[in-house]
Amino acid sequence: MKNNLLIGDFMEKYNYRQIETKWAKKWVEAKVFVPNLEGGKNPYYALFMFPYPSAEGLHIGNFYCFTCIDVMAKYKRLKGFDVFEPFGFDAFGIHLENYALKLGEHPAKVEARTTVNFRKQVQAAGLSCDYTREVDTTSPEYYKWTQWIFTQLFERGLAYQKEAYLSWCPSCKTVLADEQIEGGVCERCKTMPEKRKMKQWFFKITHYADRLLDGLSEMDWSEITKSAQKNWIGKSEGATIKFPISNFKFPNNSQNPNDQNYIEVFTTRPDTLFGCTYCVLAPEHDLVSRIVSAEQREAVAQYIQESATKSELERKENKEKTGVFSGAYAINPVNNEQVPIWIADYVLAGYGFGAIMAVPAHDERDFEFAKKFNLEIKEVISGGDIKKEAYVGEGKLVNSEKFNGLGVFEAKKAITDFVGGKLVSNYKLRDWCISRQRYWGPPVPIVYCEKCGAVAVAEKDLPVKLPELEKGWEPSGDGKGPLSNVESFMKVICPKCGGDATREADVMDNFLDSAWYFFRYLSPKNTEAIFDSSLGKKWLPVDLYVGGNEHAVLHLMYTRFITMALHDLGLIDFDNPFKKFRANGMILKDGKKMSKSKGNVISPEEYGEKVGYDALKSYILFLGPLSEDRSFSDEGIMGTARWAERVFNLTHRVEVGYGDEKSVLRKLDVTIKNVEGDMEEQKYNTAIAKLMELTNVFYGVPKISQAVFEKFLIITSIFLPALAEELWSSFAKASADEKKYKQSIFFQKWPEYDLELIKDEEIDLVIQVNGKVRGMLKVSADISEKEATNLALESDKIKNYIADKEIKKIVFVKGRLINVVIM
Ligand SMILES: [Zn+2]
Ligand SMILES: [Zn+2]
């Protein structure tokens, strides 16, 4: 032990606290992880979803997400890339404002405190972020450009104002985005939202529906994320068809060309038009009040009132169908028959035209509704039993006059043409409502002038600063934002005509702040442009993005939309912001969801103190594949902590110039190769398992050379960064090459492996058929089951035994045998 070159007195025991604190500080001070964005030759942009600082400290979920990116950043750095791993805060918006309301403190005060805590914790954990380019969405230098994006979209007709029914949370006193409604209630306060008709600002994301859909096919994103996006866009092919309203007279003989005397519907099944036995309007449909008969007026009014209290989700899921007859009739254009018009809330105002043609024989929801209200059910596609249930399968047309005998596909076009309808695509995707009647966000940069209408604030006058309100910043609940009461803010001169004008009082949705932050990271101080275009050319799109599954739909959709808009402004030449996206799983505590009420919330800081951040980070990665949920346990983390300790204690076994056993050299090179393979595919858990295995091999021999240990430290530094850095630096004392070891381990190169050495170990793999030995193959000891199966099935000897018999299963024992079980 005395001769050991590595162990200083203070390191006799693994003092992770001391080691981690020391390196966390040094890394930040020496800017070890700050890349040269201008000069870097081999850029790699690693991005994690920046956090909402709406809690006093980091949540373990944030911590896991950051770590998934951080280990990749460290690996790529060793592989010779210039890595950019930025950090910032998504600090505007409802999350932080609601937290402030709960505490009874001003949001700015809360933010000032929580961001300090978050940054401190991330730095303590030894993440390799570049803190010199931090962004904060609440800083005027940032939101100037959030507002600029709005004005650019406004100039191009992609931002507009309209009256719309929106979900309103009576408790949070704000409009809710669809994603903020969970299980029919407000995700923040669990209150049931109401429907309110309000004038709001929208972004025309539907303009990009096809591009958003088509782009998905070529993207390297998790399949589950891509299919969630696809469903959200919800494209369907169908037809629009007009149903004239029977005996309809405009009130006061209106000549208004916008007054329509027909119901327009979108249907994916124009082939079933002869089976339409009634029509349905959503309760919000403009025609309702004009067609309702005198006898039905009261019943309809009452029904509308009842359905107004339901959330959209509730209406979609509605188990029990409800509705009311309007007293009016429409004319089915295919056969001129009269069909009753009903009002029912299973039809949504925002989808299609808020009206449907109902074909109960061939649509499940219509079938249920017709059964309940005793409406006619008429079969027009053969093949089912419509007495029992709706038939939605294929078949030939029946009861459809001259179209009888046609297949569904041909009939769609033929019938649409016959009634003068149009074949069109329809989308579930709606325009993005971005107005919020709140305080804590970037004001919508619009001025209202009596003469000029809505005018965008000019770029030179941006940002429209959010006034600092000591009082009165809380949401009022009257449907107007708190800014509407601030006279000094509201009164303004019209930028166009110089006359008196008023500002828009709404602020913008938090999702807009976070839809473009990765552009800003490149040049957060730039006052001339949203981002530096030469840096953008070099560093964008982002190479790898990781974040929680809960953002797989809206956040990613909005980022893609804003990226497409910036593309169309000529600022960038790509459409997809993230070359690769992976959603990280959730962390459970002992198999259960964490919650404050259960008292089982994991604090990263607490475990950083208990077992060290190196062990904590490795443990949460080790628990399973990146995208899967993982169960954290105190016993489990001790296993990883012991591994770190064993790595530390390996120093006792290291000797300069020791002649290593060939098996050790081979295992090291195999590990270098395999960890590399795992890292490229974000298989962090299996990479760690391989490093643990190698550690065991080192403990199985009396000594290892310093050369072997150095390589091991480099590949282990991605998971145990502070420990590896400490041991690395300790070489400096005893080495002639002091300079090398005084430099951070993260400036070293990922070690090469010797292909010859790895290939060297071949084994005889026994091949059995139904348990009997039928042959032998020389293969690499590391051969996978798939490779071994292919080789075995291709070998001539085995082919004879199998012939054309069916293979029931393959049994593979790694390094020993493969058994083909046949019938
Ligand atoms: Zn709420
Ligand atoms: Zn004006």
Side-chain angles (χ1 to χ4, degrees):
M1 200 75 58
K2 279 232 172 73
N3 290 334
N4 197 296
L5 295 170
L6 302 175
I7 306 290
D9 288 340
F10 79 98
M11 282 178 58
E12 283 298 344
K13 196 168 173 297
Y14 175 33
N15 189 342
Y16 54 83
R17 289 292 293 155
Q18 190 180 355
I19 293 171
E20 291 177 357
T21 312
K22 168 178 149 191
W23 289 108
K25 197 160 165 264
K26 277 200 174 184
W27 286 330
V28 175
E29 282 171 3
K31 299 194 169 150
V32 168
F33 300 122
V34 177
N36 176 352
L37 292 197
E38 288 80 16
K41 290 202 168 57
N42 209 359
Y44 187 87
Y45 190 161
L47 180 73
F48 52 73
M49 285 184 186
F50 64 163
Y52 309 118
S54 54
E56 295 305 320
L58 273 184
H59 183 271
I60 190 80
N62 302 132
F63 191 78
Y64 173 47
C65 163
F66 301 171
T67 304
C68 286
I69 277 299
D70 190 68
V71 292
M72 200 60 188
K74 286 183 167 116
Y75 165 73
K76 287 286 179 185
R77 203 166 270 124
L78 292 167
K79 289 293 282 180
F81 287 86
D82 300 287
V83 177
F84 183 40
E85 183 191 358
F87 180 68
F89 295 104
D90 191 8
F92 254 153
I94 194 165
H95 293 85
L96 192 122
E97 192 177 319
N98 279 1
Y99 183 58
L101 283 166
K102 205 173 110 192
L103 299 178
E105 282 181 81
H106 194 279
K109 198 176 154 202
V110 174
E111 195 220 345
R113 181 177 69 240
T114 57
T115 51
V116 169
N117 288 346
F118 272 55
R119 190 184 306 105
K120 200 180 78 195
Q121 289 178 5
V122 169
Q123 291 183 348
L127 297 189
S128 47
C129 298
D130 177 350
Y131 301 98
T132 67
R133 291 172 191 263
E134 190 177 294
V135 302
D136 181 330
T137 54
T138 66
S139 75
E141 301 81 65
Y142 184 89
Y143 71 71
K144 167 181 178 178
W145 299 102
T146 310
Q147 292 172 335
W148 180 83
I149 290 174
F150 180 99
T151 61
Q152 295 303 306
L153 295 183
F154 178 75
E155 301 300 343
R156 282 157 186 81
L158 291 168
Y160 67 95
Q161 220 177 2
K162 73 168 179 193
E163 289 241 297
Y165 282 95
L166 293 157
S167 298
W168 168 268
C169 176
S171 158
C172 295
K173 295 171 184 165
T174 188
V175 165
L176 298 175
D178 289 345
E179 202 187 51
Q180 288 159 339
I181 304 170
E182 233 171 48
V185 296
C186 169
E187 62 153 7
R188 305 292 305 173
C189 69
K190 313 296 170 207
T191 306
M192 180 102 72
E194 297 164 1
K195 286 279 153 193
R196 280 204 187 178
K197 194 170 193 177
M198 300 171 74
K199 207 166 188 192
Q200 305 278 330
W201 284 98
F202 287 85
F203 280 173
K204 210 182 255 176
I205 189 171
T206 52
H207 179 70
Y208 288 83
D210 274 321
R211 251 162 97 182
L212 288 165
L213 188 65
D214 296 344
L216 286 171
S217 61
E218 280 162 29
M219 282 157 49
D220 181 7
W221 288 23
S222 334
E223 279 310 314
I224 188 161
T225 309
K226 290 209 275 185
S227 86
Q229 297 244 315
K230 196 174 158 205
N231 290 337
W232 192 261
I233 298 166
K235 181 175 183 171
S236 53
E237 307 280 353
T240 57
I241 294 172
K242 289 176 182 171
F243 283 67
I245 297 164
S246 188
N247 299 317
F248 185 74
K249 291 218 174 48
F250 290 117
N252 311 322
N253 296 322
S254 158
Q255 295 295 309
N256 185 346
N258 291 329
D259 274 351
Q260 57 183 58
N261 59 349
Y262 55 84
I263 297 172
E264 188 158 34
V265 303
F266 169 80
T267 174
T268 58
R269 297 294 305 273
D271 52 303
T272 62
L273 191 50
F274 282 91
C276 167
T277 53
Y278 64 103
C279 284
V280 186
L281 300 179
E284 300 87 351
H285 199 291
D286 286 340
L287 277 173
V288 171
S289 60
R290 291 194 271 145
I291 60 164
V292 64
S293 69
E295 303 82 61
Q296 288 298 99
R297 192 161 289 277
E298 199 173 320
V300 168
Q302 198 188 335
Y303 182 74
I304 291 173
Q305 209 171 15
E306 281 165 19
S307 75
T309 62
K310 292 186 199 165
S311 75
E312 193 156 289
L313 202 82
E314 228 183 328
R315 284 169 59 172
K316 272 190 228 171
E317 288 172 351
N318 227 344
K319 300 267 148 39
E320 182 73 30
K321 297 272 172 294
T322 62
V324 62
F325 178 45
S326 68
Y329 291 84
I331 296 161
N332 185 340
V334 83
N335 54 11
N336 292 321
E337 280 177 18
Q338 285 209 343
V339 294
I341 302 170
W342 283 67
I343 319 288
D345 61 15
Y346 77 96
V347 175
L348 300 175
Y351 181 73
F353 297 96
I356 62 159
M357 58 174 242
V359 184
H362 305 289
D363 179 278
E364 281 158 17
R365 293 183 319 161
D366 298 346
F367 184 84
E368 263 179 69
F369 191 86
K371 278 277 177 200
K372 178 161 176 187
F373 294 102
N374 219 2
L375 297 160
E376 189 192 352
I377 301 175
K378 180 179 162 197
E379 179 180 49
V380 289
I381 307 287
S382 64
D385 180 359
I386 62 147
K387 284 198 183 66
K388 277 200 239 143
E389 59 186 0
Y391 176 66
V392 295
E394 296 279 311
K396 294 259 185 283
L397 267 67
V398 293
N399 301 321
S400 299
E401 300 176 8
K402 66 176 180 175
F403 301 99
N404 283 340
L406 283 184
V408 164
F409 185 76
E410 317 154 74
K412 280 186 180 173
K413 188 170 182 330
I415 292 184
T416 304
D417 286 347
F418 179 68
V419 298
K422 266 190 288 184
L423 289 171
V424 292
S425 304
N426 192 42
Y427 303 86
K428 279 190 200 147
L429 184 71
R430 318 269 180 78
D431 281 341
W432 174 11
C433 173
I434 62 140
S435 309
R436 294 293 179 273
Q437 294 70 46
R438 298 285 291 230
Y439 170 64
W440 197 237
V444 173
I446 284 286
V447 164
Y448 298 101
C449 164
E450 247 175 57
K451 246 208 258 150
C452 318
V455 183
V457 176
E459 184 176 336
K460 66 173 176 51
D461 297 325
L462 295 176
V464 175
K465 279 206 185 158
L466 182 67
E468 290 173 21
L469 297 186
E470 290 282 320
K471 282 200 187 97
W473 58 270
E474 298 90 346
S476 61
D478 59 4
K480 286 191 211 138
L483 295 183
S484 62
N485 301 319
V486 185
E487 207 186 318
S488 58
F489 173 81
M490 293 299 284
K491 277 182 100 174
V492 68
I493 301 292
C494 169
K496 245 189 201 161
C497 72
D500 285 345
T502 319
R503 283 196 193 280
E504 167 65 65
D506 286 356
V507 298
M508 295 193 270
D509 181 13
N510 181 217
F511 275 120
L512 181 58
D513 304 322
S514 58
W516 69 278
Y517 70 111
F518 51 96
F519 288 102
R520 192 64 186 167
Y521 272 144
L522 295 173
S523 43
K525 311 248 160 41
N526 192 330
T527 53
E528 303 299 313
I530 181 164
F531 65 93
D532 184 309
S533 71
S534 66
L535 290 181
K537 264 206 183 73
K538 188 170 200 166
W539 287 87
L540 293 169
V542 168
D543 289 279
L544 177 66
Y545 191 32
V546 170
N549 226 347
E550 69 274 22
H551 296 301
V553 177
L554 289 188
H555 164 65
L556 291 174
M557 191 77 80
Y558 294 151
T559 352
R560 293 180 63 211
F561 163 60
I562 295 295
T563 303
M564 286 174 183
L566 294 180
H567 171 274
D568 294 355
L569 289 173
L571 293 181
I572 46 174
D573 58 6
F574 55 87
D575 247 7
N576 172 21
F578 314 120
K579 280 187 212 159
K580 192 174 200 174
F581 171 78
R582 292 293 178 269
N584 62 267
M586 212 165 43
I587 296 190
L588 310 168
K589 180 78 201 291
D590 302 313
K592 292 188 193 79
K593 247 185 149 167
M594 283 180 275
S595 75
K596 283 208 183 98
S597 58
K598 281 188 219 146
N600 64 347
V601 176
I602 301 166
S603 143
E605 206 165 26
E606 182 192 331
Y607 282 89
E609 276 171 30
K610 270 190 193 160
V611 297
Y613 283 109
D614 280 2
L616 172 63
K617 286 183 290 181
S618 301
Y619 175 60
I620 52 179
L621 295 176
F622 181 58
L623 279 172
L626 188 155
S627 59
E628 285 174 18
D629 293 348
R630 53 213 49 237
S631 179
F632 187 108
S633 77
D634 288 1
E635 299 81 62
I637 198 170
M638 285 319 295
T640 317
R642 271 192 292 276
W643 172 54
E645 193 179 17
R646 271 160 73 79
V647 170
F648 175 84
N649 285 326
L650 268 178
T651 48
H652 296 287
R653 292 171 176 258
V654 176
E655 188 177 300
V656 176
Y658 180 75
D660 293 292
E661 281 81 345
K662 197 176 176 194
S663 63
V664 169
L665 293 173
R666 191 183 167 277
K667 186 70 187 176
L668 172 70
D669 278 22
V670 168
T671 308
I672 294 170
K673 176 174 182 273
N674 290 343
V675 169
E676 191 177 314
D678 286 347
M679 288 307 294
E680 293 294 343
E681 292 172 52
Q682 287 85 47
K683 291 181 179 165
Y684 306 140
N685 58 325
T686 55
I688 293 170
K690 280 162 192 149
L691 293 169
M692 289 175 167
E693 220 180 286
L694 182 59
T695 310
N696 288 339
V697 169
F698 291 159
Y699 271 95
V701 294
K703 279 200 158 69
I704 52 173
S705 69
Q706 179 165 327
V708 163
F709 191 56
E710 276 185 19
K711 286 188 187 175
F712 170 72
L713 280 184
I714 293 172
I715 61 174
T716 308
S717 69
I718 48 184
F719 299 110
L720 302 174
L723 173 56
E725 187 79 294
E726 175 68 25
L727 297 178
W728 180 263
S729 75
S730 69
F731 289 142
K733 279 181 218 141
S735 167
D737 194 358
E738 201 183 323
K739 213 175 141 206
K740 172 176 165 190
Y741 302 109
K742 281 214 160 147
Q743 203 182 33
S744 168
I745 193 168
F746 295 103
F747 290 121
Q748 301 307 309
K749 284 244 143 39
W750 186 260
E752 309 254 319
Y753 50 86
D754 181 351
L755 271 176
E756 276 305 305
L757 184 65
I758 297 175
K759 204 172 69 183
D760 197 41
E761 200 178 60
E762 286 193 326
I763 54 152
D764 291 317
L765 186 76
V766 173
I767 307 177
Q768 301 177 336
V769 178
N770 285 348
K772 290 206 179 70
V773 178
R774 300 297 187 195
M776 204 79 94
L777 278 173
K778 270 240 178 292
V779 296
S780 146
D782 284 319
I783 192 166
S784 70
E785 172 164 357
K786 205 173 154 215
E787 289 169 301
T789 308
N790 289 342
L791 282 177
L793 297 181
E794 276 163 21
S795 95
D796 288 336
K797 272 188 256 171
I798 306 306
K799 271 188 190 159
N800 291 336
Y801 288 104
I802 300 174
D804 54 357
K805 293 189 190 83
E806 192 192 328
I807 296 168
K808 276 176 74 184
K809 68 170 174 180
I810 302 274
V811 181
F812 177 66
V813 183
K814 194 167 179 157
R816 287 179 53 202
L817 65 82
I818 183 162
N819 179 15
V820 184
V821 182
I822 55 176
M823 293 295 273

